[in-house]
Amino acid sequence: MARLFGTDGVRGVANEGLTAELALGLSMAAAHVLGEAGGLGGRRPVAVVGRDPRASGEFLEAAVIAGLAGSGVDVLRVGVLPTPAVAYLTGALGADFGVMLSASHNAMPDNGIKFLARGGHKLDDSIEDAIEADYRGHLDGTLDRPRPTGAGVGRVHEYTEGFDKYVAHLVAVLPNRLDGVRVVIDGAHGAAARVAPEAFARAGAEVVYTLGAEPTGLNINDGVGSTHLDGLRRAMREHRADLGIALDGDADRCLAADAEGDEVDGDQIIAILAVAMREAGTLRGNTAVGTVMANLGFKLAMEREGIALVETAVGDRYVLEAMKEHGYALGGEQSGHVILLDHATTGDGTLTGLMLGARLAATRKPLAELAQVMTRLPQVLINVKDVDKSRVADCGELTLAVKAATEELGATGRVLLRPSGTEPLVRVMVEAADQEQAKAVAERLASVVRSQLAV
């Protein structure tokens, strides 16, 4: 039986794989597992519930709230807010857990349910498994827990102060104001379409243009946001702003663009912030955390700057685990998931953009100049499909081919073969000093993968 929880909650096509019945059942299970965690001293548990603007979020939110309140949980309904806002409010309001309805950067038909532990932290796999076991137990009749009645049922409260409380938090944690910084914001027609412009304006920036700022429930991530940067690039060239930021649907990631419309990716953003935090004395352990898929140029930049780099498996949850385990303050991914652990329990795109703007304001340097802290090496990624991905580590011919390619590339190149976690394919990633060499080596290795791992 396939596990319901993926790397970032439970996701699926809304009303198909992710139904109201599933949302109801999972929320009832979460009410039991999370609502009783640590003991409550006789009081009713409290949950914060938020969502992104997807149309399906309306009925899924209703199902989640029904499951929680029907299980004796008091609900603080915060409405449409980013995932990091729900995480922040879960901690700031002393709630026992949080629930966010979003499929992040996915297309509008998808949706997802993400549960957050007390304090706004992501759940451990063991807790997700406990929720799933409770849900399946009720589904097959092996669990039959009595439900509260009368005054025992949970109450639902509209918490309209969530927007202002979250924006005030974002502005308060900045090292300096953003006065004089001209900004373009792409809100992806998502959860931060209102939050991000308001936060930048309160921080002193001049928001000269917004796009992706009119969510209808049907247009989230549709040609806008961090997965579609063309609109932001055009707007930056047209308005000659200092900083452009693009968020995704639930605003837990951020990519940027400079005045010429050139992309500044997650690796570059982390490098800029790492140097800023080192200078401010807030880069704990003088260390940044990235993944094995980070551009080699990022690694070389950190070495040159004297900043240690810890590498994890791909996925912001693994970055976060390493940060929490060792007490590091900064980490993230090339995709724009940037975690500033002193101020957020998860990736926060709006906060990342604000911190980038604060660096521009403090240095009075253009973003393009700040981004030169690292040089992105050419990177080629080939997905080799329909192969036996389980044999990657044991195939002698493939091991020899990788060794030869690594020796050929030397210190300014890198090879990474990674079996997909969800599909029958192997990802071949090659970085080199120039694009042509990266492409040639990647195609050669992909050919070996096809011939040696064919099914």
Side-chain angles (χ1 to χ4, degrees):
M1 186 180 298
R3 189 174 186 266
L4 279 176
F5 285 88
T7 57
D8 204 20
V10 178
R11 288 192 187 178
V13 176
N15 223 24
E16 188 176 290
L18 184 58
T19 62
E21 293 88 346
L22 177 59
L24 178 74
L26 281 175
S27 62
M28 292 172 66
H32 171 63
V33 175
L34 298 175
E36 297 181 2
L40 300 176
R43 67 171 178 82
R44 273 205 298 253
V46 176
V48 172
V49 177
R51 64 180 181 88
D52 72 22
R54 291 167 211 265
S56 59
E58 296 168 3
F59 77 79
L60 290 171
E61 177 191 57
V64 166
I65 291 175
L68 296 177
S71 301
V73 176
D74 287 341
V75 175
L76 298 175
R77 181 180 177 272
V78 299
V80 175
L81 282 178
T83 292
V86 174
Y88 166 72
L89 291 170
T90 298
L93 299 176
D96 298 289
F97 61 99
V99 188
M100 179 66 186
L101 295 156
S102 176
S104 189
H105 59 281
N106 287 21
M108 183 276 295
D110 290 352
N111 215 320
I113 305 174
K114 183 188 301 185
F115 296 102
L116 299 162
R118 187 179 285 114
H121 299 280
K122 289 193 174 187
L123 300 184
D124 293 336
D125 288 347
S126 60
I127 303 298
E128 290 180 340
D129 290 342
I131 293 172
E132 182 169 340
D134 191 287
Y135 164 73
R136 294 193 186 281
H138 277 88
L139 205 61
D140 63 21
T142 56
L143 281 178
D144 187 18
R145 190 177 300 107
R147 301 180 184 180
T149 58
V153 300
R155 305 300 299 273
V156 181
H157 307 277
E158 300 292 325
Y159 189 76
T160 57
E161 301 96 324
F163 179 96
D164 281 328
K165 191 174 182 70
Y166 172 61
V167 171
H169 160 70
L170 293 175
V171 176
V173 302
L174 295 177
N176 53 270
R177 287 182 55 80
L178 276 60
D179 299 282
V181 178
R182 302 175 74 248
V183 183
V184 172
I185 299 172
D186 181 349
H189 296 311
R194 287 179 55 234
V195 163
E198 179 68 16
F200 272 88
R202 289 194 199 179
E206 180 187 356
V207 181
V208 298
Y209 186 72
T210 60
L211 62 157
E214 298 178 355
T216 64
L218 305 177
N219 59 357
I220 190 169
N221 300 319
D222 187 7
V224 290
S226 62
T227 53
H228 303 88
L229 293 180
D230 287 347
L232 179 66
R233 292 191 183 107
R234 286 194 299 269
M236 289 299 293
R237 290 192 291 267
E238 178 180 348
H239 294 277
R240 302 300 296 175
D242 303 304
L243 170 65
I245 69 160
L247 308 171
D248 65 337
D250 70 335
D252 65 351
R253 68 170 71 181
C254 167
L255 293 178
D258 64 22
E260 297 296 328
D262 292 327
E263 178 185 350
V264 177
D265 68 15
D267 288 342
Q268 292 169 295
I269 292 171
I270 297 167
I272 293 169
L273 296 183
V275 172
M277 292 171 66
R278 181 195 62 194
E279 292 176 2
T282 57
L283 188 67
R284 289 198 299 277
N286 194 42
T287 299
V289 181
T291 76
V292 293
M293 289 294 283
N295 192 278
L296 179 59
F298 172 63
K299 182 177 180 179
L300 296 175
M302 293 297 93
E303 288 178 357
R304 187 180 64 252
E305 292 293 331
I307 296 172
L309 177 63
V310 171
E311 291 184 309
T312 74
V314 175
D316 63 312
R317 69 181 302 161
Y318 301 112
V319 172
L320 183 57
E321 285 173 5
M323 293 176 68
K324 290 168 67 176
E325 181 180 354
H326 301 288
Y328 301 133
L330 175 67
E333 297 185 283
Q334 190 180 72
S335 62
H337 278 118
V338 178
I339 303 170
L340 294 148
L341 202 54
D342 285 340
H343 312 301
T345 58
T346 184
D348 190 329
T350 306
L351 176 61
T352 299
L354 287 166
M355 287 292 188
L356 203 52
R359 183 61 171 171
L360 264 69
T363 62
R364 298 298 173 185
K365 293 180 180 179
L367 180 57
E369 181 178 344
L370 292 176
Q372 289 174 6
V373 67
M374 69 163 277
T375 300
R376 254 187 316 202
L377 294 179
Q379 186 180 83
V380 173
L381 178 65
I382 300 176
N383 292 327
V384 186
K385 300 180 179 180
D386 301 320
V387 293
D388 184 358
K389 62 183 181 181
S390 67
R391 293 176 49 220
V392 168
D394 301 325
C395 176
E397 290 294 325
L398 189 55
T399 299
L400 290 174
V402 169
K403 181 181 179 182
T406 301
E407 291 174 351
E408 175 186 339
L409 295 170
T412 57
R414 184 170 63 125
V415 173
L416 180 66
L417 265 61
R418 189 170 71 89
S420 168
T422 57
E423 302 173 81
L425 60 84
V426 173
R427 305 189 197 281
V428 177
M429 190 273 284
V430 174
E431 290 170 334
D434 65 78
Q435 185 70 26
E436 289 303 314
Q437 185 184 28
K439 181 180 178 183
V441 173
E443 288 176 346
R444 189 163 69 243
L445 286 174
S447 178
V448 177
V449 171
R450 288 190 194 95
S451 64
Q452 297 297 318
L453 305 186
V455 292

